[in-house]
Amino acid sequence: MSDYRKLSLFLLRHGECEGREMVRGRTDVVLSKRGLCQMRQGWLHVSASVSAFAPGRLWLASSPARRCTAFANELVGQGPFVGELQLCHWAREMDFGLWDGLPQSEVYQCWPELASAFWRDPLHHSPPQGEPLPDFCQRVRQGWQAWVMALSNSKADGGLLVCHGGVIRVLLSHILQPDQLPGAPWFTSFDLPYGAGVAITVYLADECPPFYQLHWPGSLLTQ
């Protein structure tokens, strides 16, 4: 246990975006003014936990999508963040193929059976020319594990990742059900509002897999 490490990790979902309601995956849209305010408000909540539990040095990382980097760039050089903003391509949202950028209503109009099947059972149905959910999960989980290992080998005390709702849901499923892929309820029944923040503690030791502790929203602030 000589190399025991404890890291404080934080996830922040992007805010509301400009434009119409649509399926946003690889489509690179910008934040609305309201969305930027949502992220700033979310960060105020998360930063209180950062001050209490990770007063040291934090890495700052983001999905390369503009709806994430717009706010992440505001944090560079502030508070506990050290180094440059890291762009994590593994943290991109799922690619919805031909559905990407279309309104949900149009998706259901043009692909009624497939759209219904996808939202009922996304593990076994994929958008046309899109990224299968198992591939998306593998991309995110492998990237996350590599990021955590890099953090553990650094002098940082943790990190903040600005990313997407789908990415956060996959990571939460990985922490709570590490041997299973997330089914439909993770995407349809689990509310994750714009600007939502999640706090995670990870414990690492020699020759042991990481042990994660997911903190209930707001719980860090009361300890």
Side-chain angles (χ1 to χ4, degrees), residues 25 47 56 87 89 96 102 104 124 126 130 134 136 155 174 182 203 214 220 223:
S47 63
L87 296 182
H89 290 271
F96 289 93
L102 297 180
Q104 284 276 13
H124 298 100
S126 302
F136 173 53
K155 295 181 180 180
H174 175 57
Y203 302 89
L214 175 64
L220 285 178
Q223 298 185 33

Side-chain angles (χ1 to χ4, degrees), residues 15-185:
E16 177 188 86
C17 300
E18 289 282 5
R20 60 184 181 178
E21 176 275 329
M22 69 176 69
V23 178
R24 294 185 179 91
R26 69 173 186 276
T27 304
D28 196 10
V29 292
V30 298
L31 286 174
S32 66
K33 291 182 178 179
R34 181 183 178 189
L36 189 56
C37 290
Q38 289 169 335
M39 298 194 73
R40 288 169 177 162
Q41 186 64 36
W43 169 242
L44 285 177
H45 179 82
V46 172
S47 63
S49 299
V50 171
S51 299
F53 284 81
R57 298 154 54 92
L58 296 182
W59 282 4
L60 177 60
S62 174
S63 159
R66 289 183 293 170
R67 56 192 183 272
C68 297
T69 58
F71 178 71
N73 279 312
E74 288 190 4
L75 300 179
V76 175
Q78 293 189 24
F81 296 113
V82 294
E84 298 179 353
L85 174 64
Q86 302 173 5
L87 296 182
C88 298
H89 290 271
W90 59 265
R92 301 187 318 274
E93 184 59 281
M94 180 176 172
D95 184 344
F96 289 93
L98 296 182
W99 296 353
D100 227 291
L102 297 180
Q104 284 276 13
S105 58
E106 186 172 341
V107 169
Y108 273 93
Q109 181 179 0
C110 297
W111 296 272
E113 294 183 2
L114 181 55
S116 296
F118 172 73
W119 290 114
R120 286 197 311 268
D121 184 10
L123 285 173
H124 298 100
H125 301 88
S126 302
Q129 301 180 27
E131 183 177 23
L133 182 59
D135 293 355
F136 173 53
C137 293
Q138 182 180 36
R139 161 165 67 84
V140 171
R141 289 182 173 190
Q142 288 182 347
W144 168 260
Q145 290 167 349
W147 190 61
V148 170
M149 287 299 102
L151 268 168
S152 71
N153 293 325
S154 74
K155 295 181 180 180
D157 298 293
L160 168 69
L161 174 65
V162 183
C163 57
H164 307 268
V167 172
I168 293 176
R169 288 179 168 89
V170 168
L171 291 176
L172 295 183
S173 76
H174 175 57
I175 291 169
L176 296 176
Q177 298 177 312
D179 299 322
Q180 301 179 38
L181 291 176

